[in-house]
Amino acid sequence: MAVAAGVAWTHGRHPLALLGRSWDSLWYLRIAAHGYGCVERPRPGVVHNDLAFFPLYPALIRVVHLLLPVSGGAAGLVVAWSAAAVAAGGIYAVGAHLHGRAVGTALAVLWGLLPHSVVLSMGYSEPVLTACAAWALYAVLAGHWVRAGALAALAGLARPNGVAVAVAVLAAAAVAVGRARAQVSHRLWTGAALAPLGWTGYVLWAGHRTGDPLRGYLRLQRLWGSRFDFGLGALRFVKHLLLHKEAFLFFGALTVVAAGLLLYALLVLDRAPLPLVAYSGVLLALACGGAGFFQCKPRFLLPAFPLLLPLARALVRTARARPWHAAVVACALAGLSFAYGAYLLAVTRTPL
């Protein structure tokens, strides 16, 4: 925060304004204040409808704004920062449950030091989604099905890619049913039924508002310039990057996405639990398969914290064998994260 604030001030910009009122944050604040109904047409063929934004984060902003004597922008930051803290706790819980407290700590630290982790300090919905997802996955691993389903439903109300949490819960439930030799608990069925309700309910409601319940939300996304084309648009943009001069953040985004694919392969080879593999796989598929907003793909992958599990385990092994080596790695990651985050926040003029 200190580095980002210093860079912002040197560029004549106010840090809190950058964090709380940049790009998508303005849409969330408008929804929190006035509800849905805003439509903008910045250029021919492009229609920005606020129904594209899921409701959980603006609803939380509205609650905080009503309870505390703060502005809408400050309320958005309170929600985002609190959610990031809750998410870090959930990430630690998942890592500690699987491999012990040291790995849980390393997993949370690595997540906080991702190149795009500055987004977790901004008025965006990724912290809210990650908080719901982390604790939902922990609940699945611990066998708390109703809690997992309820949190998956909340995750589905946070962001479009929140559907990944529901997929993870349903996949784990399907395996549990297949392995069960006795009667399956009603809690499992309840959790599985709850999991997709948030995402499905909002997509159908938003589609109904457009006049087409089944395809309306997809049409909204296309009018924003975002669609799922199985990665063809992303491949074309990568080709463009390799042949033409572009802003540095696009190459940074390409590097992060490539690293995500490699880490997913390591996660699978490491035989991680099915819920983590399914969750991360859906997030990767949606990020890589979607066309448009290439620079936003690393932000879409911020909730995919299970991808960092192999690195967290390696960092712990290094720390036990050669503590100074692990300290140098952590400091290098911190320096990269601080510098790149300040660049994204205060220097680049491209929407994150």
Side-chain angles (χ1 to χ4, degrees):
M1 293 297 294
V3 173
V7 174
W9 276 319
T10 60
H11 286 74
R13 309 179 74 180
H14 195 281
L16 290 182
L18 280 178
L19 291 171
R21 296 181 175 273
S22 294
W23 310 116
D24 289 358
S25 303
L26 297 175
W27 287 91
Y28 287 121
L29 293 176
R30 189 180 301 162
I31 295 169
H34 308 292
Y36 288 98
C38 179
V39 179
E40 295 181 356
R41 293 175 171 83
R43 58 185 183 274
V46 177
V47 180
H48 292 171
N49 191 320
D50 62 5
L51 288 171
F53 295 92
F54 276 50
L56 181 57
Y57 178 52
L60 293 174
I61 293 175
R62 186 174 183 86
V63 170
V64 172
H65 181 56
L66 292 175
L67 295 178
L68 300 178
V70 295
S71 66
L77 292 179
V78 169
V79 173
W81 295 350
S82 301
V86 173
I91 291 169
Y92 165 81
V94 170
H97 178 82
L98 293 174
H99 303 292
R101 291 184 295 176
V103 172
T105 301
L107 185 62
V109 168
L110 288 174
W111 178 70
L113 295 181
L114 288 172
H116 283 70
S117 60
V118 68
V119 173
L120 303 173
S121 299
M122 299 176 66
Y124 275 62
S125 57
E126 274 75 17
V128 176
L129 169 58
T130 310
C132 295
W135 286 106
L137 292 173
Y138 174 75
V140 169
L141 296 174
H144 303 307
W145 292 103
V146 176
R147 191 183 310 166
L151 288 167
L154 287 176
L157 290 171
R159 288 193 52 77
N161 54 356
V163 68
V165 188
V167 172
V169 173
L170 292 175
V175 171
V177 170
R179 291 177 176 174
R181 297 181 180 179
Q183 185 178 1
V184 177
S185 167
H186 70 278
R187 292 182 174 276
L188 188 151
W189 294 116
T190 302
L194 287 173
L197 289 184
W199 187 87
T200 304
Y202 181 74
V203 167
L204 292 176
W205 178 81
H208 175 73
R209 287 280 298 263
T210 68
D212 186 351
L214 296 180
R215 296 176 296 179
Y217 185 79
L218 296 178
R219 185 176 295 114
L220 287 172
Q221 289 283 9
R222 284 196 297 271
L223 290 174
W224 267 86
S226 178
R227 66 187 186 281
F228 189 83
D229 63 355
F230 299 94
L232 294 178
L235 289 175
R236 282 194 292 266
F237 191 81
V238 169
K239 179 181 178 181
H240 172 79
L241 281 180
L242 297 176
L243 297 177
H244 300 86
K245 184 179 179 180
E246 276 290 352
F248 175 70
L249 84 159
F250 290 106
F251 293 97
L254 176 60
T255 302
V256 170
V257 172
L261 293 171
L262 175 61
L263 290 174
Y264 186 70
L266 294 177
L267 185 71
V268 173
L269 292 174
D270 204 30
R271 297 184 179 181
L274 175 62
L276 304 187
V277 173
Y279 169 71
S280 302
V282 173
L283 288 177
L284 262 176
L286 292 175
C288 297
F293 303 106
F294 190 87
Q295 75 279 6
C296 296
K297 293 184 184 296
R299 173 166 66 87
F300 300 157
L301 290 176
L302 275 175
F305 67 90
L307 296 176
L308 301 171
L309 259 177
L311 294 183
R313 297 182 68 187
L315 183 61
V316 169
R317 289 194 297 268
T318 301
R320 287 170 176 164
R322 296 179 293 275
W324 281 107
H325 292 192
V328 169
V329 170
C331 291
L333 290 175
L336 172 64
S337 177
F338 297 166
Y340 194 64
Y343 163 76
L344 292 175
L345 183 67
V347 178
T348 180
R349 304 290 180 171
T350 304
L352 294 178

